[in-house]
Amino acid sequence: MNIMNFYLCWCALLRARFTSAFIPLGQDGKLGNQNPSSSSSLALGLAPPVLTSTVTVTPTVTPTSLVQNILPSTITVTVTPGVSNTIPNSPHPPSSAGAQPSNPSNGPPIPQSPVQNALPVPWNCTSPVPGLSQEDCTYLSTIGFASQGQNAISSASGTAGIWLGSSGPNTFSFINGASVPLILVVWYNPYEDAQSSFMDARTPKITYSLPEQGSAVVVSIDNEVPGGWSTVYNYTTTLTEYGQVNNTMGEFNTGIFATTDVSRLVNMVGHPMTVVVQGSGCRSDMQTCVYMCAEEGVVTCGRERSYRLENCQGQPGAVVSNDWEGNPTGGCQGWSNGGHVDVIFT
């Protein structure tokens, strides 16, 4: 077999195995406010010990960081006893991180991780999971969440894949830059799970209180794990009629084609967030490298060819392509098989 034939076969294999550039999708569209029971829609034992102390640290910014003018001067990080949970000052990539994958247009691979959706965590708001306050626990129960988050404190506790602390190959700093209390919600999106982002049907991986401006938490994520996050703002955010958090969402895939982005498809008038990949510096926010509804004036969308990826080209680490159905794919890369992402809610 000559080199050209080998290359063509390799490309065909990649197209057969890889999905869109941020999360595995069903055949009928991207994440949007749709009915999970419809065939044409897409949806996306013991509690660990309670976190007991806080420390104040300098945010993960450098003089040239894109987020330096968004963050407060210091942030408070809740610490798990025995678990490193300080915001890292630099990403932890292997030597190849920061370089663009050889074939980024095909997006990240179908996840092969053994991660499973967590079992429901009972509503016991007198003793909520680590990092979730009683008040926030009660609010989530009243708006229809099926369960508290698992809030594992290590890769070995509960179901592996997403946990509190900075010990994993991929770390996300979630930072409250707003002037109101927030509740962070992070979920896992296994391949072909049409309800992974529907909090009335699935147990989130993380539900974590960020009670004031500057509050922050570091979350670790294994490689080859897809998922997303959103926030509940000031005890006013609810679930949509189908069970998704009715706010702006973030999405990620970790691994060789690690990608992240902001999605406004569930709620085009949701609260702002900014995502910055350390290393490449790629930024996704409400106007840049963001998924938006294509039709003017609509508040939600998500079916085939109903959305677009806005203003993503032209910055380091940004990748833009289309899937075989003509839908845009892409987002911020530059953290293959390990790295750090800052997420600031404003």
Side-chain angles (χ1 to χ4, degrees):
M1 179 181 293
N2 61 36
I3 293 176
M4 180 58 69
N5 286 339
F6 175 79
Y7 174 77
L8 293 174
C9 291
W10 179 74
C11 288
L13 178 61
L14 286 175
R15 181 164 293 278
R17 293 187 60 195
F18 293 167
T19 60
S20 70
F22 40 88
I23 55 174
L25 302 178
Q27 61 182 358
D28 292 301
K30 191 178 180 288
L31 177 64
N33 189 3
Q34 304 175 32
N35 187 342
S37 64
S38 167
S39 61
S40 63
S41 68
L42 168 76
L44 280 170
L46 294 176
V50 175
L51 307 180
T52 58
S53 61
T54 60
V55 295
T56 301
V57 299
T58 302
T60 56
V61 293
T62 64
T64 58
S65 170
L66 291 172
V67 300
Q68 62 180 332
N69 295 322
I70 299 173
L71 292 172
S73 59
T74 60
I75 53 180
T76 301
V77 180
T78 306
V79 176
T80 304
V83 176
S84 174
N85 195 32
T86 57
I87 299 226
N89 291 319
S90 61
H92 324 99
S95 59
S96 61
Q100 290 302 301
S102 59
N103 197 17
S105 64
N106 285 302
I110 295 172
Q112 301 297 319
S113 170
V115 179
Q116 301 295 322
N117 267 311
L119 295 175
V121 178
W123 286 114
N124 179 10
C125 290
T126 60
S127 182
V129 293
L132 185 67
S133 70
Q134 291 186 16
E135 183 179 14
D136 290 357
C137 175
T138 300
Y139 183 75
L140 294 181
S141 70
T142 62
I143 63 173
F145 270 62
S147 172
Q148 303 179 59
Q150 188 188 23
N151 288 27
I153 61 171
S154 71
S155 60
S157 62
T159 54
I162 301 174
W163 67 93
L164 299 173
S166 58
S167 59
N170 306 280
T171 52
F172 281 65
S173 294
F174 294 101
I175 304 163
N176 182 351
S179 57
V180 298
L182 309 180
I183 308 171
L184 171 69
V185 182
V186 183
W187 57 86
Y188 167 60
N189 180 33
Y191 182 55
E192 294 184 340
D193 182 351
Q195 293 183 305
S196 63
S197 66
F198 287 72
M199 296 296 95
D200 62 346
R202 294 287 182 267
T203 296
K205 283 289 186 177
I206 304 290
T207 51
Y208 199 95
S209 299
L210 300 174
E212 60 189 5
Q213 187 178 66
S215 299
V217 66
V218 180
V219 174
S220 283
I221 304 175
D222 278 332
N223 284 322
E224 312 304 333
V225 174
W229 72 84
S230 190
T231 47
V232 173
Y233 267 66
N234 201 27
Y235 310 110
T236 59
T237 304
T238 60
L239 299 183
T240 69
E241 61 180 312
Y242 302 123
Q244 292 167 296
V245 178
N246 195 10
N247 206 351
T248 309
M249 291 188 173
E251 302 168 311
F252 64 85
N253 248 0
T254 60
I256 188 172
F257 294 124
T259 310
T260 189
D261 64 74
V262 172
S263 174
R264 299 176 61 184
L265 303 190
V266 168
N267 186 347
M268 283 287 292
V269 293
H271 293 278
M273 76 169 73
T274 299
V275 178
V276 180
V277 176
Q278 285 194 8
S280 71
C282 187
R283 173 173 176 152
S284 178
D285 56 30
M286 302 299 278
Q287 291 82 37
T288 306
C289 209
V290 56
Y291 285 88
M292 302 178 65
C293 296
E295 183 180 351
E296 296 294 331
V298 302
V299 176
T300 186
C301 61
R303 300 185 186 279
E304 296 283 357
R305 293 174 293 280
S306 69
Y307 54 90
R308 62 181 186 266
L309 179 58
E310 285 279 292
N311 302 323
C312 200
Q313 292 177 308
Q315 60 172 321
V319 174
V320 178
S321 187
N322 290 283
D323 65 19
W324 45 89
E325 299 292 340
N327 299 295
T329 63
C332 280
Q333 296 191 326
W335 48 301
S336 297
N337 289 325
H340 182 76
V341 178
D342 285 308
V343 181
I344 306 95
F345 306 109
T346 52

